[in-house]
Amino acid sequence: MKYIKCGAEVFEFKPKPLFKTCSYCEERAILRPEGTSLYLCKDCFLKFCEKRVNENIIKYKMFSEGERVGVFLSGGKDSATLLAILKKLFPTQNIIGIYLNLGIRYYSEYAQSAVEELCKKLEVPLHIIDLVEREGVRIDDFVFTSFKDKVCSVCGVIKRYYFTKAVKELNLDVIATGHHLDDTLSTMLSLFFNGDFISLSRLRPVLPPLHAGQAKKVKPLFSLPELDIFHYAVLSDLPIEGCSCPHGELTPAKFWKSWLNDMLKEDKTFKFRLLSIFMKKLLPLLPKEEPEKEDGFYPCQVCGEPTPSKSHICVKCRRVSLLQKVEDKRLEWTAEEFLTYYSQNRDKILVFDVREKEDYEKGTFPSAIWVDPNLVSAEEKDFFKHFKNYRRKELIFLCYSGRLSYLFVLRLRKLGFNAYNIKNPEKLLQKID
Ligand SMILES: [Zn+2]
Ligand SMILES: [Zn+2]
């Protein structure tokens, strides 16, 4: 039972047999579902998760026979588990997997391979929307715009646009997403402390369409703890990608997720109690969203999709148009291109080696400066401090696979530095030896 991270690293999950018999059968137990006093064997654990999802779907009438259900897939464990359980519980339902490739280097391709493998294994048709094909841009390009430190918000705009488009293109009745208990609760806490009660009411497990052409949105996993979903995915041997998006940032939801897990140490049913208070006591008091007035919409002058914008150009098209003004969107050099460029521009270039120190000491690119690879996750001010004297230079990064050095490049670009990555560093590193 292993899963792949970022196309290379392999993580293994080995369930240790517990010294207990399964609460439901004679087998040896291997797992305890979070927040319960059960000990379960593999088969009973899988059935236990499926039963919970089935109860959610029936109780909240998430979809009915004959409806076309689209499942948004990310390549990660949550949406993979959702698709597997839906397919198992409703084998004759019309289910379609949807993957939006945002052209994020060292991420989107790995995620797409996992999604393709997953759909093949589960025999589910897959619809891929490729941003580079459709718009000629990738999310990474936005580091060249005024949104360089708000890439995740631009990404959110583009995702929502294409998910709405997918509903139309595929004529879907229902959209299912892999949001789980920890997502629900962490988002709830974060919205509550911001006083955002309209968004809070959107955390319902079912959101009916607000106007014609929209699909119903459902979250069949909303009451399942994240840890159980991870275990479901690895125990079922689902192809998943553990890689996280290189643009990912520390969101308030992440803070609340770790707070929730701390609370679990005091009271193992804490998450379920909180969910129950939210569903039974708070949600009924919250205002439901008003349907948008359809006469306030105009067709976008660029793409034709309806938009409430007074400029008659939708927000997606406005963001994408920012990139038309950017002539040079280069973030990477191949080793060959770099060597040619370096030989002519030596004095304005600094090369950084972000591999482990012992690898650096064994041999590196001439004049390369070693940078602790852990710096990539350092706090903003420490990260900035490390590079602030190199503002006027072109900073070139290299590591073994290109991914870690690319993370450095993105972070520096967001801070306004002129940074580039080496795309196939192995060729450069061979030259060193
Ligand atoms: Zn059992
Ligand atoms: Zn548009």
Side-chain angles (χ1 to χ4, degrees):
M1 272 161 272
K2 55 191 175 186
Y3 78 102
I4 297 169
K5 199 173 168 190
C6 311
E9 292 171 74
V10 176
F11 279 70
E12 264 196 85
F13 166 70
K14 281 205 193 94
K16 292 189 288 285
L18 303 168
F19 293 99
K20 287 273 183 184
T21 311
C22 173
S23 305
Y24 294 148
C25 75
E26 299 304 311
E27 292 288 315
R28 183 83 165 265
I30 56 160
L31 270 179
R32 307 199 60 186
E34 193 180 286
T36 71
S37 42
L38 297 169
Y39 289 87
L40 298 180
C41 69
K42 177 184 160 181
D43 286 347
C44 292
F45 173 76
L46 298 181
K47 280 190 203 127
F48 173 83
C49 295
E50 289 152 11
K51 187 165 164 268
R52 277 187 168 174
V53 175
N54 196 31
E55 283 166 1
N56 287 344
I57 291 169
I58 290 167
K59 181 172 177 190
Y60 294 96
K61 300 187 178 65
M62 291 190 172
F63 50 82
S64 44
E65 220 185 313
E67 283 190 310
R68 281 167 72 79
V69 181
V71 179
F72 286 139
L73 302 168
S74 67
K77 65 188 189 321
D78 308 334
S79 53
T81 296
L82 172 64
L83 188 66
I85 295 183
L86 288 184
K87 189 69 189 167
K88 195 161 179 186
L89 292 173
F90 305 93
T92 60
Q93 189 82 30
N94 203 337
I95 300 173
I96 303 144
I98 302 155
Y99 179 68
L100 176 54
N101 186 320
L102 294 154
I104 298 167
R105 296 183 185 92
Y106 303 99
Y107 175 64
S108 295
E109 291 305 308
Y110 305 142
Q112 183 170 325
S113 311
V115 166
E116 283 169 342
E117 231 185 288
L118 176 77
C119 288
K120 205 170 136 196
K121 179 178 168 129
L122 300 175
E123 295 176 8
V124 171
L126 171 63
H127 179 74
I128 295 174
I129 298 176
D130 191 302
L131 189 66
V132 174
E133 254 169 46
R134 299 229 184 178
E135 304 275 355
V137 306
R138 43 178 88 236
I139 291 297
D140 298 353
D141 296 344
F142 286 93
V143 300
F144 293 100
T145 70
S146 54
F147 283 90
K148 61 169 156 298
D149 50 357
K150 296 184 269 302
V151 172
C152 298
S153 98
V154 178
C155 186
V157 165
I158 291 177
K159 266 192 208 159
R160 277 192 294 280
Y161 177 89
Y162 276 104
F163 284 161
T164 310
K165 214 168 161 69
V167 169
K168 282 197 210 169
E169 286 177 357
L170 299 168
N171 202 11
L172 301 175
D173 302 298
V174 180
I175 280 294
T177 55
H179 294 96
H180 48 65
L181 179 64
D182 298 64
D183 287 330
T184 310
L185 296 179
S186 58
T187 311
M188 178 197 92
L189 289 163
S190 160
L191 292 171
F192 182 86
F193 285 102
N194 275 314
D196 187 349
F197 289 93
I198 293 289
S199 302
L200 206 52
S201 85
R202 290 185 62 83
L203 282 181
R204 292 167 208 277
V206 173
L207 285 173
L210 285 177
H211 52 79
Q214 279 191 342
K216 174 156 84 172
K217 293 189 188 116
V218 302
K219 298 170 196 156
L221 306 182
F222 81 98
S223 63
L224 265 70
E226 179 166 20
L227 188 63
D228 288 355
I229 291 173
F230 170 72
H231 288 147
Y232 188 96
V234 284
L235 288 172
S236 313
D237 228 346
L238 299 177
I240 53 172
E241 173 55 70
C243 206
S244 60
C245 174
H247 296 282
E249 54 200 351
L250 206 61
T251 60
K254 279 188 195 163
F255 167 81
W256 288 114
K257 267 187 193 175
S258 73
W259 183 80
L260 285 163
N261 286 320
D262 285 346
M263 293 303 287
L264 212 57
K265 288 172 201 148
E266 308 281 321
D267 171 4
K268 66 180 180 181
T269 64
F270 181 74
K271 290 182 192 171
F272 293 121
R273 282 202 300 127
L274 197 54
L275 181 71
S276 159
I277 293 168
F278 176 64
M279 297 292 291
K280 291 191 184 131
K281 305 281 181 186
L282 188 57
L283 262 185
L285 300 176
L286 294 175
K288 280 200 183 162
E289 223 177 346
E290 292 289 323
E292 291 154 321
K293 288 195 193 75
E294 301 213 24
D295 57 358
F297 281 77
Y298 317 93
C300 168
Q301 282 174 358
V302 180
C303 70
E305 293 297 318
T307 171
S309 163
K310 297 271 184 300
S311 66
H312 294 210
I313 297 176
C314 77
V315 58
K316 183 279 293 175
C317 289
R318 273 184 281 147
R319 298 288 180 270
V320 169
S321 75
L322 293 173
L323 292 171
Q324 288 163 358
K325 296 165 205 145
V326 183
E327 275 173 29
D328 184 6
K329 298 200 253 305
R330 179 193 287 275
L331 286 173
E332 296 195 301
W333 296 95
T334 64
E336 297 82 352
E337 287 169 338
F338 169 71
L339 287 170
T340 316
Y341 183 71
Y342 182 73
S343 64
Q344 292 150 7
N345 300 279
R346 224 166 263 226
D347 49 339
K348 60 176 186 182
I349 293 174
L350 282 177
V351 181
F352 294 91
D353 185 335
V354 294
R355 296 174 303 150
E356 292 300 330
K357 186 140 199 186
E358 54 182 274
D359 296 328
Y360 169 81
E361 281 168 350
K362 275 184 209 148
T364 184
F365 188 79
S367 84
I369 303 163
W370 180 72
V371 173
D372 185 345
N374 296 312
L375 190 69
V376 78
S377 45
E379 284 195 28
E380 190 90 334
K381 67 172 193 317
D382 296 328
F383 186 80
F384 180 77
K385 208 167 82 190
H386 199 91
F387 294 102
K388 70 172 195 244
N389 293 331
Y390 311 130
R391 269 242 180 249
R392 290 161 196 280
K393 296 276 189 176
E394 288 185 18
L395 314 181
I396 312 284
F397 286 80
L398 65 90
C399 70
Y400 271 121
S401 66
R403 178 175 155 94
L404 179 68
S405 46
Y406 191 61
L407 297 184
F408 272 92
V409 169
L410 288 180
R411 243 194 124 172
L412 283 163
R413 285 274 170 182
K414 290 173 190 191
L415 292 167
F417 285 85
N418 215 353
Y420 298 94
N421 187 36
I422 299 292
K423 198 175 176 176
N424 47 348
E426 66 282 0
K427 291 197 180 152
L428 212 58
L429 292 168
Q430 272 165 16
K431 279 216 160 53
I432 297 162
D433 307 331

